[in-house]
């Protein structure tokens, strides 16, 4: 029961972040160099979280959030390059890099999550959200969104 609540809160919490970040990218285009990748990513994420809440698939879509571990490592790599002593996060990134090089951790999480877990989830979603169970709209909404996210891993 508690796990189900946490998964629903994760899906619901992801929605406002994606919407806000998408609006921010439109308002301040200079904030990112990868708008061509991030805009479809955020749209697919919004569609996936809507389907999680609509079809009660929070446990499955919560698995999609695992890829954010890779994003965290990428952020730490970027922080590590910041000049000077920096803030607490920069110091954390530099300390973490001494224990295990962040580039190694980034490659390990990228290969495992983006090339392993995500394609498997696409395969699993294809069967779980079969159009007999959730209708063609439910199938296209979930499997289509995850398909877009898989393709964007290679951009």
């Amino acid at each position: 029961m508690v796990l189900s609540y946490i998964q629903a809160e994760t899906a619901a919490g992801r929605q406002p972040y994606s919407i806000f970040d998408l609006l921010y990218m439109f308002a301040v285009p200079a904030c990112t160099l990868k708008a061509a990748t991030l805009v479809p990513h955020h749209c697919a994420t919004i569609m996936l979280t809507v389907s999680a809440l609509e079809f009660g698939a929070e446990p499955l879509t919560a698995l999609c959030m695992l890829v954010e571990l890779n994003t965290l490592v990428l952020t730490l790599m970027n922080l590590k390059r910041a000049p000077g002593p920096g803030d607490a996060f920069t110091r954390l990134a530099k300390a973490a890099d001494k224990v295990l090089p962040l580039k190694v951790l980034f490659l390990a999480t990228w290969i495992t999550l983006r090339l392993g877990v995500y394609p498997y989830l696409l395969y699993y979603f294809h069967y779980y959200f079969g159009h007999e169970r959730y209708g063609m709209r439910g199938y296209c909404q979930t499997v289509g969104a995850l398909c877009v996210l898989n393709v964007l891993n290679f951009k």
Side-chain angles (χ1 to χ4, degrees):
M1 179 74 163
V2 171
L3 185 58
S4 179
Y5 175 76
I6 291 170
Q7 291 163 340
E9 289 298 308
T10 301
R14 180 74 180 171
Q15 189 84 2
Y17 164 77
S18 295
I19 292 169
F20 174 77
D21 204 35
L22 190 60
L23 292 174
Y24 186 75
M25 279 189 282
F26 283 122
V28 186
C31 73
T32 182
L33 298 174
K34 299 182 177 185
T37 302
L38 289 174
V39 169
H41 167 81
H42 281 51
C43 291
T45 302
I46 291 166
M47 194 176 343
L48 196 57
T49 55
V50 165
S51 52
L53 298 170
E54 185 177 350
F55 301 117
E58 295 92 350
L60 286 178
T61 55
L63 289 173
C64 295
M65 295 288 290
L66 285 174
V67 78
E68 297 305 326
L69 293 172
N70 179 250
T71 305
L72 173 66
V73 175
L74 180 61
T75 303
L76 288 174
M77 284 175 56
N78 291 334
L79 283 173
K80 184 188 81 159
R81 290 184 232 142
D87 61 10
F89 292 112
T90 304
R91 290 192 300 275
L92 173 68
K94 290 178 180 180
D97 191 51
K98 289 178 183 173
V99 176
L100 178 65
L102 291 174
K103 189 164 189 154
V104 171
L105 192 56
F106 173 76
L107 288 172
T109 58
W110 194 83
I111 290 168
T112 304
L113 297 171
R114 295 187 187 263
L115 300 181
V117 173
Y118 250 48
Y120 173 75
L121 285 175
L122 182 60
Y123 167 80
Y124 188 80
F125 275 37
H126 168 69
Y127 287 101
Y128 185 85
F129 288 100
H131 65 276
E132 299 87 17
R133 187 173 186 180
Y134 289 98
M136 189 55 80
R137 185 182 64 80
Y139 176 81
C140 290
Q141 188 172 328
T142 52
V143 177
L146 193 56
C147 187
V148 167
L149 292 171
N150 267 280
V151 168
L152 290 173
N153 283 332
F154 298 99
K155 276 194 122 204

